[in-house]
């Protein structure tokens, strides 16, 4: 399997590359001789991505107030269509990453392999591994088009490790004429105030689901989370019901978490949810229904009413 | 204001899915229903047309065997008509092939001011189709919308972000993907259900849309499933019935891991 060059689309916030970008770089290093980065904030992250193995940053000077998807995809496509592109492009399953992959796919007329959690060699080609049916089955897919391979990779699929490389060289990647596709402009940014650790970094995650019964009962999740210095999370069902914001959602749509301990309270464990938390080191599940699929992944399963069990756990911890 | 909503008709998620061992794709032979993820876009479209005071909602869908049961649900909610692309040549289409078909079907649906989709389907969940359609139609797009307002020929969208949300503006026409749960989809009324039965569904083939069979279906999918394997299962854990004291087991478990 000869992959000579991989490009990683690296997203950044306030001049720092995202964790997922660094995870992708670490894996890319293992797969290809040359690893390079495409970024909208190339100069700022050149040293950081260099330390994770990138030798070059293709900087796309997109207007910071614009949505980036079309410009990044356009710039990459120009290089690919001119024969100056990589063999493989890795982007994270993020808001902008998906925008880039979708638009790029059309511009180079090549498909995208999505929801990838691992990249392995199969029959002499690079295959993406996608978990289906709640992670019980792995599907291996390879490209047959002979074109550039675009993979959308889930966060936390790989551990990020430094290579000790020096700062990457920065070069400019030109943006072609985007027409109407480049027009969306961000007029305002709102940050939802959240206290405590984030779902991405927390060692403990406490998540609630439909079994809580009503919106007000989510307070129990927040109380327990605070006691354990944990991040509160949620199943899709209660996000869809409007109990908590989308940023709390764990699962297929939403965040992937891999904490030391995951506590699922009143969550049945639909496929949608399991995919996002199955990688947790230890899982505690509390649910009334003994047949709930969540128990198939639980290290400690309590068949019982969350309204009875959780308050007692909270009380026991508070009394210390 | 005319709004086109892309809707997918999928196998009922309540039934456990299965992969066809020959084609290695999801079995789609049972009855199909409207993907719940799409009901939010349908509701939002109906609200926008109401607010504009004129125009209509048109559905666009691609499904095997001329399947219309999911479309009827959305028509019963209030959509005026539908374009359904159904063709044996479409079996095996990947997201890019699907987008090529939907883009042509959207053009056939008439002049649209706005095209809405879900952020991803509940069965395939690639999440790339909204952007692929937008690029094929050379339209601006805003993905992961939680609120949409139209001000003249400008679209104002609240777009979800990692940290919260952005307010985004762009000119119409545009493609917007709608996040699940952001509006309350209406239940079809009895009158709506009866009316839906006679609403027009324009059923077309890929030839009607001028699409080359080689660019869609198995032939057009530039990817191939090479293996399906059992994932590594987690070791079975301890399951206990709560007798009023199970909380102590939870506390002990947390203590043993030193996370308290």
């Amino acid at each position: 399997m000869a992959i000579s060059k991989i490009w990683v689309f690296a997203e950044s916030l306030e001049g720092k590359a995202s964790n997922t970008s660094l995870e992708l770089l670490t894996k890319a290093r293992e797969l290809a001789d040359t690893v390079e980065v495409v970024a909208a904030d190339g100069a700022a992250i050149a040293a950081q991505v260099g330390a994770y193995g990138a030798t070059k940053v293709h900087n796309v000077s997109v207007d910071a107030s614009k949505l980036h998807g079309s410009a990044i995809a356009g710039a990459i496509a120009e290089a690919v269509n001119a024969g100056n592109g990589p063999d493989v492009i890795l982007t994270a399953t993020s808001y902008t990453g998906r925008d880039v992959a979708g638009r790029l796919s059309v511009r180079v007329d090549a498909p995208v392999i999505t929801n990838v959690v691992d990249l392995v060699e199969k029959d002499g080609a690079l295959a993406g591994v996608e978990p289906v049916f709640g992670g019980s089955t792995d599907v291996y897919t390879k490209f047959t088009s002979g074109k550039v391979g675009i993979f959308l990779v889930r966060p936390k699929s790989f551990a990020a490790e430094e290579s000790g490389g020096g700062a990457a060289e920065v070069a400019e990647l030109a943006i072609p004429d985007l027409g109407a596709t480049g027009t969306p402009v961000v007029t305002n940014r709102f940050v939802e105030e959240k206290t405590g650790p984030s779902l991405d970094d927390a060692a403990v995650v406490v998540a609630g689901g439909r079994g809580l019964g009503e919106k007000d009962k989510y307070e129990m999740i927040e109380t327990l989370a605070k006691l354990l210095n944990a991040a509160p999370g949620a199943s899709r069902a209660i996000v869809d019901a409007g109990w908590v914001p989308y940023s709390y959602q764990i699962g297929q749509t939403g965040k992937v978490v891999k904490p030391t301990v995951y506590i699922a309270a009143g969550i049945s464990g639909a496929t949608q949810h399991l995919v996002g938390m199955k990688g947790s080191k230890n899982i505690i599940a509390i649910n009334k229904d003994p047949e709930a699929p969540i128990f198939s992944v639980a290290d400690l399963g309590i068949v019982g009413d969350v309204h009875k069990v959780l308050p007692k756990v909270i009380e026991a911890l508070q009394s210390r | 204001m005319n709004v086109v909503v892309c809707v997918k008709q999928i196998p009922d998620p309540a039934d456990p899915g299965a992969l066809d061992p020959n084609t290695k794709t999801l079995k789609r032979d049972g009855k199909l229903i409207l993907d719940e993820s799409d009901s939010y876009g349908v509701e939002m479209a109906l609200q926008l047309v109401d607010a504009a005071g004129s125009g209509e909602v048109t559905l666009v869908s691609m499904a095997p065997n001329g399947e219309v049961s999911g479309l009827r649900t959305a028509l019963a909610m209030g959509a005026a008509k539908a374009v359904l692309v159904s063709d044996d040549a479409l079996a095996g289409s990947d997201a890019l092939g699907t987008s090529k078909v939907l883009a042509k079907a959207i053009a056939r649906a008439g002049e649209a001011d706005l095209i809405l989709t879900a952020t991803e389907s509940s069965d395939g969940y690639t999440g790339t189709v909204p952007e692929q359609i937008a690029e094929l139609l050379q339209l601006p797009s805003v993905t992961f919308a939680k609120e949409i307002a139209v001000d003249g020929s400008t679209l104002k969208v609240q777009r979800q972000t990692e940290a919260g949300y952005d307010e985004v503006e762009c000119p119409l026409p545009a493609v917007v993907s709608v996040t699940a749960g952001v509006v309350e989809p209406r239940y079809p009324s009895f009158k709506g259900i009866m009316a839906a039965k006679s609403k027009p569904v324009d059923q077309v083939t890929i030839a009607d849309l001028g699409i080359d069979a080689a660019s869609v279906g198995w032939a057009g999918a530039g990817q191939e499933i090479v293996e399906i394997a059992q994932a590594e299962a987690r070791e079975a854990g301890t399951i206990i019935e709560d007798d009023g004291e199970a909380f102590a087991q939870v506390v002990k478990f947390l203590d043993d891991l030193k996370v308290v």
Side-chain angles (χ1 to χ4, degrees), chain A residues 11 67 69-70 73 93-96 98-107 109-115 122-123 127 130-133 135-146 152 154 177-193 200 203-204 224 227-229 236 239-242 246-247 252-255 260-261 263 271-272 275 277-284 286 290 295-305 308-309 312-313 316-317 320, chain B residues 13 16-19 24 26-27 35-38 40 94-97 99-100 119-144 146 155-171 173-175 177 179-185 215 218-255 257 259-260:
Chain A
E11 293 173 71
L67 288 188
S70 181
T93 306
S94 60
Y95 297 98
T96 307
R98 280 185 172 184
D99 286 3
V100 168
R103 290 213 176 249
L104 177 61
S105 152
V106 170
R107 279 183 169 266
D109 196 30
V112 186
I113 295 179
T114 54
N115 292 302
K122 281 276 168 197
D123 307 340
E130 178 190 359
V132 298
F133 304 140
S136 63
T137 305
D138 287 335
V139 173
Y140 293 69
T141 309
K142 68 170 185 178
F143 291 108
T144 55
S145 61
L152 264 173
R154 293 185 152 270
D177 178 19
L178 303 174
T181 69
T183 52
V185 60
V186 179
T187 53
N188 245 322
R189 294 185 196 277
F190 292 87
V191 175
E192 274 159 8
E193 290 296 328
D200 286 321
V204 182
L224 181 57
L227 284 166
L228 294 168
N229 192 30
R236 176 173 169 173
V239 173
D240 283 2
Y246 178 76
S247 55
Q252 187 71 51
T253 31
K255 289 230 149 63
T260 308
V261 184
I263 303 176
T271 290
Q272 150 77 235
V275 169
M277 46 66 77
K278 207 180 144 223
S280 305
K281 283 193 196 74
N282 300 281
I283 297 171
I284 302 175
I286 306 164
F295 289 124
S296 70
V297 299
D299 299 289
L300 175 62
I302 308 291
V303 180
D305 186 349
K308 291 185 178 144
V309 181
K312 286 184 184 165
V313 174
L317 294 175
R320 295 191 176 189
Chain B
L19 295 175
K24 301 194 178 80
L26 196 64
K27 283 188 185 171
D35 187 343
E36 193 203 332
S37 301
D38 291 324
Y40 304 100
D94 63 7
L96 181 57
S99 301
K100 288 175 181 173
T119 56
E120 62 187 7
S121 65
S122 304
D123 61 344
Y125 50 81
T126 68
T128 56
V129 169
E131 286 295 275
Q132 286 168 324
I133 291 173
E135 186 66 29
L136 286 161
L137 296 171
Q138 281 297 293
L139 292 177
S141 58
V142 185
T143 48
F144 293 92
K146 50 184 236 161
L155 184 70
K156 293 183 175 180
V157 177
Q158 288 185 6
R159 179 188 197 236
Q160 255 152 15
T161 63
E162 307 283 349
Y165 66 92
D166 286 350
E167 275 178 1
V168 180
E169 286 187 14
C170 85
V175 177
S177 76
T179 303
V182 294
V183 285
E184 185 75 41
S215 69
W218 297 112
Q223 52 184 301
E224 182 191 7
I225 294 172
V226 288
E227 190 181 327
I228 296 171
Q230 269 311 100
E232 209 175 305
R234 287 182 75 99
E235 266 180 54
T238 311
I239 311 292
I240 56 172
E241 190 113 14
D242 181 31
D243 56 357
E245 299 298 317
F247 76 93
Q249 295 288 324
V250 175
V251 174
K252 180 175 182 301
F253 191 90
L254 294 170
D255 271 336
L257 291 165
V259 292
V260 180

Side-chain angles (χ1 to χ4, degrees), chain A residues 60-121:
Chain A
V60 182
S61 297
V62 49
D63 184 340
S65 69
K66 297 273 181 72
L67 288 188
H68 288 8
S70 181
I72 302 275
I76 297 174
E78 286 285 291
V80 169
N81 291 334
N84 301 323
D87 306 298
V88 167
I89 294 167
L90 304 181
T91 80
T93 306
S94 60
Y95 297 98
T96 307
R98 280 185 172 184
D99 286 3
V100 168
R103 290 213 176 249
L104 177 61
S105 152
V106 170
R107 279 183 169 266
V108 300
D109 196 30
V112 186
I113 295 179
T114 54
N115 292 302
V116 170
V117 297
D118 200 3
L119 292 158
V120 296
E121 188 188 340

